[in-house]
Amino acid sequence: MAKTLKDFVTQALETVAEVEVSDLDRLTAEGYTLLDVREGDEFAAGHIPGAIFMPRGFLEVRADLEHPKRDPRMADRSQRLVCYCGGGHRSALAAQSLQQMGFSDVVSLRGGWTAYSSADLPVEVS
């Protein structure tokens, strides 16, 4: 039987912790970096202030230590990351990929941008 998106996300969440929007202030104060894994048009329309834009489609390329298009900000495997997307699915998959690439402290924002933006918190527009 073919797997569904729900199957992939459920499997990812077996190893990926989810955090709530209400945890973000504490996590950023503790040194976590916000990683927005949505598409460019989504990010440009609004994102969490200070978030790094790293679309899901290029995440593994940017995080790879040997790829010519790597992002030097992704070299430190001990850095603490909170991934977020539109609703929490892509970010769970992104966090799982980053774990598999050796990142030791990466979590996913439950509900993603939808949960954040509905909480009437500050928004940055590019």
Side-chain angles (χ1 to χ4, degrees):
M1 183 173 189
K3 287 189 172 188
T4 65
L5 173 61
K6 183 179 179 180
D7 294 329
F8 286 113
V9 172
T10 299
Q11 182 179 12
L13 291 175
E14 291 175 6
T15 60
V16 171
E18 287 186 297
V19 297
E20 303 294 336
V21 169
S22 59
D23 297 322
L24 290 180
D25 282 343
R26 176 182 55 81
L27 291 171
T28 55
E30 291 175 2
Y32 280 80
T33 299
L34 299 170
L35 202 61
D36 188 322
V37 300
R38 298 176 300 154
E39 296 297 316
D41 59 328
E42 294 173 291
F43 183 81
H47 54 272
I48 300 173
I52 295 173
F53 172 58
M54 196 153 308
R56 175 77 187 96
F58 286 98
L59 180 66
E60 291 82 0
V61 167
R62 299 289 190 232
D64 188 88
L65 295 173
E66 298 176 10
H67 197 282
K69 293 185 179 179
R70 68 188 170 274
D71 187 321
R73 297 174 295 184
M74 298 299 287
D76 180 5
R77 294 326 205 218
S78 67
Q79 69 180 300
R80 305 162 103 188
L81 300 170
V82 176
C83 297
Y84 77 91
C85 63
H89 296 125
R90 289 174 287 177
S91 60
L93 297 172
Q96 180 186 44
S97 289
L98 291 172
Q99 284 178 342
Q100 292 169 345
M101 294 181 83
F103 287 83
S104 59
D105 196 349
V106 58
V107 297
S108 177
L109 180 62
R110 186 188 318 271
W113 176 251
T114 301
Y116 182 87
S117 60
S118 68
D120 278 338
L121 295 167
V123 171
E124 204 167 82
V125 177
S126 297

